[in-house]
Amino acid sequence: MALDKLTGDTSMLFIKSEQFFDWARARSLWYLAFGIACCSLEGLIAASGPRFDFDRHGVFFRGVPRQADVLITAGTVNYKMAEIVTRLYEQMPDPKWVISMGACSNTGGPFREYPNVFLGVDELVPVDIYIPGCPPRPESVQYAFLELREKIYAQTGERLEARRING
Amino acid sequence: METWIKHALDTMYTDFAPGLGPDQFDAYDLQGWLSPEPPPGIVTPRSLRRQANAPDMLETDHFLLNLGPSHPAMHGALRMLVELDGEMVMSSEAHVGFLHRGIEKLAEHRRYNTIGTLMDRGDYATGIMGEWALARAVENLGEIEVPERAEWIRTVVAEVNRMASHYLWLGPLGLDSGAMGPFLFMMRDREACLETLEAVTGSRMMFNYVRPGGVVFDWNKEGNDKLLAYLEKADQYLDEHWEALIGSELFHQRVIGVGIVPHEMALSFAATGFIARASGIDWDLRRDRPYGYYDKLDFDVLTLDGEDIWARTLVRFDEMKQSIRMLKQLVEMGPPPGEHIAKLPKVLRLPEGEAYGSVEGARGELGVHLYSTGGDTPYRMRYRPPIQFHLAIADTVAPGQWLADALLSYGSFDFCFGEVDR
């Protein structure tokens, strides 16, 4: 918000307003429907299906990066795809988060011996949550979103800490 | 940090323009439409300038549109570059390689019973088919006898996986044609299929279950119960899908006469599977080169001459019905007694030579060609994905259609990019 331009980002007014906005953000995390590989069947398609129904957490897919909050890197990222992943991340509006889904996206997985494959998507974009598994079950992705929600809530504490030190 | 200076929908974004040979360039003949001055060095293909011969007599330009790899209507990591005249597709060019991860190369350094993990991740919608094709190639080369019980289990899991994959195709086809509801119902049924597979193999997607010589785990009661529970409802589910999507007149209007793959094109592009059968080629490996338990089963193969998406839908819908019919017969027979895997050494060494093994995958003939020099790893493994051939067809049939129809026809080929890029 623009409040920090007026009052500074250590003001109590700003911190309390951000706490309110974080509460709202954490309850409507829209992820980008960007399926790279196998993980997209579990993390994007089965997730939006009736069994797992991410919609009840306010987690819903968007086709356009301009409307998305969360980038799920669901699959192996190679050198040709790296440019696309970075570009999509840059196109997303702030605040934005990245969930690295699956072994390929975390470390290169079963394909890490191949020189074309990135050894983890964190070389390209800052990752907030890593999900292990090959592929992770949809429940794991659900848990990742719950963890991400906790991480967003914890930002208020971090701001208060910064205020105590700097303010 | 804005690194993206050009817009993807911009006509000047010609980095990936089709057919950019030096003789097709005309560098500075652009003043008519580019304002104020063309920067030096920027060129546009000649084909992008539209002649004033359209009915509206307008001298507008063709439009280059990048579809994908992140596009809501693209299934998988495919960049399809289309050239548009108004809303009519003039040319279409597929750019692949966004998921290239060296499956064939990595297989050269793996033992024969561990290549299945790579095959799973290649054809990720139907992992069993890839594993089975590899197992068949290894068994052909090593002349390994597979127990009857293993063949029965393989046939059951393959048919269940085929159902799961077809649901995953039909639902998004409905999404592409504007029907959200049927997709949700098909995901419900897909979960029922995956539950069965999970109970039998231990995993929802990456099974690593079919190995050379047999299968890893024996048929169990939990899997049997889940399969029976699914088969009880399966016919009713299919009727629901017929009423909700396939029998709907709105769907007919979108798919009949769209995405036509002529019979000759299907022959000359080596189409297999449902693309071939919807274009009048009567060919099914399960019937014509029987493997597994298929020679003991009674099933029909539907071949249509419709050549359009509607014919493909009918062929695949009939495949689902036949799968259920086969599964019912298999359950009635029950698993034959015996071992579920042949007695093999822990490190399998194959003799010198080469062999080909293929199965009728969910999308067409899925084959593996192995070349062995006598070690415990293959010297070369060639993965024959059906979708690679169908992608060339999708490229060729798109021009001349409306953009919305072209997107639907791309979707009707059921791309799976783990297979194409490998």
Side-chain angles (χ1 to χ4, degrees):
Chain A
M1 292 287 109
L3 200 58
D4 54 338
K5 300 249 167 42
L6 290 174
T7 62
D9 56 0
T10 52
S11 73
M12 212 54 207
L13 188 61
F14 174 70
I15 290 173
K16 283 292 167 192
S17 73
E18 278 297 289
Q19 189 176 12
F20 172 71
F21 285 120
D22 281 346
W23 173 79
R25 280 170 194 142
R27 278 171 162 68
S28 65
L29 290 168
W30 291 357
Y31 62 87
L32 179 62
F34 174 50
I36 303 176
C38 343
C39 284
S40 62
L41 297 189
E42 294 284 74
L44 306 179
I45 295 180
S48 59
R51 164 76 60 91
F52 299 101
D53 192 18
F54 282 19
D55 207 355
R56 66 202 148 112
H57 299 301
V59 176
F60 200 62
F61 64 91
R62 292 273 102 190
V64 190
R66 302 288 189 201
Q67 300 171 349
D69 306 306
V70 181
L71 176 68
I72 306 180
T73 55
T76 320
V77 177
N78 63 15
Y79 276 77
K80 190 167 181 177
M81 190 54 115
E83 185 200 345
I84 310 289
V85 172
T86 336
R87 180 178 297 173
L88 285 172
Y89 180 75
E90 284 170 6
Q91 283 176 338
M92 284 163 56
D94 277 329
K96 52 194 171 186
W97 298 275
V98 178
I99 293 179
S100 164
M101 180 182 177
C104 291
S105 180
N106 293 344
T107 63
F111 304 100
R112 62 176 288 126
E113 299 147 29
Y114 198 62
N116 192 24
V117 172
F118 266 92
L119 303 183
V121 77
D122 44 10
E123 293 181 19
L124 299 168
V125 290
V127 176
D128 293 284
I129 308 275
Y130 296 88
I131 314 176
C134 185
R137 296 176 61 91
E139 292 95 330
S140 315
V141 187
Q142 232 162 1
Y143 181 66
F145 274 105
L146 297 182
E147 286 290 304
L148 185 58
R149 184 185 280 185
E150 294 304 315
K151 189 168 179 175
I152 293 170
Y153 287 154
Q155 284 176 351
T156 305
E158 289 163 15
R159 288 200 188 93
L160 285 173
E161 185 68 17
R163 174 189 163 89
R164 194 178 63 77
I165 296 169
N166 304 326
Chain B
M1 193 169 68
E2 192 74 31
T3 56
W4 190 25
I5 52 170
K6 288 176 287 190
H7 196 273
L9 305 184
D10 194 336
T11 323
M12 300 309 294
Y13 192 65
T14 54
D15 298 8
F16 301 99
L20 282 182
D23 50 340
Q24 288 170 314
F25 280 74
D26 195 357
Y28 297 110
D29 188 18
L30 303 169
Q31 275 80 1
W33 56 276
L34 197 72
S35 63
E37 280 270 308
I42 287 194
V43 286
T44 308
R46 187 185 294 278
S47 67
L48 290 183
R49 261 167 290 130
R50 182 184 179 188
Q51 300 300 314
N53 53 5
D56 50 7
M57 297 305 284
L58 289 176
E59 286 190 49
T60 49
D61 306 310
H62 283 188
F63 188 79
L64 274 185
L65 184 65
N66 279 301
L67 294 174
S70 169
H71 189 275
M74 273 294 149
H75 305 280
L78 166 67
R79 168 183 252 144
M80 197 60 102
L81 184 74
V82 293
E83 179 187 345
L84 297 176
D85 179 1
E87 276 208 52
M88 189 70 82
V89 176
M90 304 307 285
S91 72
S92 151
E93 187 176 312
H95 290 256
V96 298
F98 290 99
L99 196 50
H100 176 58
R101 41 193 185 178
I103 286 177
E104 289 183 356
K105 188 68 190 168
L106 290 176
E108 293 169 11
H109 303 278
R110 301 213 177 185
R111 288 180 180 162
Y112 288 106
N113 53 1
T114 59
I115 302 177
T117 54
L118 295 174
M119 302 300 292
D120 273 337
R121 285 153 186 83
D123 182 1
Y124 50 76
T126 50
I128 294 284
M129 309 292 184
E131 293 169 15
W132 199 356
L134 174 85
R136 270 171 60 75
V138 173
E139 285 151 13
N140 288 346
L141 186 55
E143 293 174 353
I144 298 166
E145 193 74 28
V146 184
E148 279 286 292
R149 191 181 179 88
E151 295 282 28
W152 185 89
I153 299 173
R154 284 177 180 186
T155 313
V156 171
V157 288
E159 288 308 316
V160 176
N161 205 343
R162 189 189 309 277
M163 295 289 295
S165 169
H166 281 17
Y167 282 131
L168 194 62
W169 171 77
L170 199 52
L173 188 70
L175 279 185
D176 284 352
S177 60
M180 180 80 194
F183 169 75
L184 298 173
F185 285 96
M186 284 174 209
M187 285 302 114
R188 173 198 67 186
D189 302 354
R190 182 169 179 269
E191 291 295 334
C193 293
L194 292 186
E195 264 190 3
T196 310
L197 288 172
E198 192 183 358
V200 179
T201 70
S203 174
R204 283 163 57 89
M205 272 175 70
M206 304 298 168
F207 309 104
N208 198 12
Y209 180 61
V210 179
R211 305 260 179 98
V215 293
V216 181
F217 307 117
D218 203 357
W219 187 248
N220 58 25
K221 186 173 176 305
E222 194 192 351
N224 202 35
D225 292 347
K226 295 225 158 134
L227 181 60
L228 286 177
Y230 170 63
L231 286 179
E232 244 173 52
K233 288 277 177 78
D235 283 325
Q236 181 204 333
Y237 284 166
L238 281 190
D239 289 344
E240 281 178 24
H241 297 324
W242 182 274
E243 279 173 26
L245 178 67
I246 306 175
S248 153
E249 195 188 336
L250 298 170
F251 186 68
H252 297 170
Q253 290 181 357
R254 284 303 305 276
V255 296
I256 293 180
V258 173
I260 289 182
V261 180
H263 182 74
E264 294 75 26
M265 189 193 284
L267 272 178
S268 59
F269 278 70
T272 47
F274 72 109
I275 306 277
R277 287 197 285 279
S279 297
I281 303 172
D282 193 9
W283 179 249
D284 190 321
L285 287 179
R286 292 175 291 175
R287 185 197 59 196
D288 299 322
R289 283 187 210 151
Y291 57 93
Y293 231 64
Y294 290 113
D295 49 351
K296 300 185 183 62
L297 299 177
D298 178 30
F299 63 99
D300 301 320
V301 176
L302 181 66
T303 309
L304 293 176
D305 292 323
E307 303 176 342
D308 54 359
I309 302 178
W310 174 237
R312 274 169 237 153
T313 313
L314 289 182
V315 165
R316 284 205 129 178
F317 194 71
D318 189 68
E319 274 181 32
M320 289 162 86
K321 282 190 167 170
Q322 300 298 333
S323 289
I324 291 172
R325 205 174 136 198
M326 278 185 247
L327 284 171
K328 282 183 173 165
Q329 293 174 34
L330 284 162
V331 167
E332 202 172 312
M333 287 180 201
E339 288 292 314
H340 62 275
I341 189 159
K343 289 263 182 293
L344 290 177
K346 267 190 179 169
V347 179
L348 189 62
R349 285 175 197 278
L350 293 189
E352 281 183 32
E354 48 190 309
Y356 179 70
S358 64
V359 296
E360 177 75 26
R363 301 174 188 75
E365 178 179 349
L366 206 164
V368 169
H369 192 142
L370 284 179
Y371 184 96
S372 162
T373 50
D376 56 351
T377 61
Y379 178 78
R380 170 86 169 91
M381 187 196 86
R382 157 77 184 153
Y383 186 167
R384 185 225 185 264
I387 294 301
Q388 195 178 21
F389 299 84
H390 299 166
L391 182 62
I393 299 178
D395 248 16
T396 316
V397 301
Q401 304 186 53
W402 300 111
L403 179 61
D405 289 346
L407 286 173
L408 196 57
S409 97
Y410 295 148
S412 77
F413 286 92
D414 195 7
F415 297 134
C416 171
F417 266 79
E419 267 188 328
V420 179
D421 297 335
R422 299 196 286 284

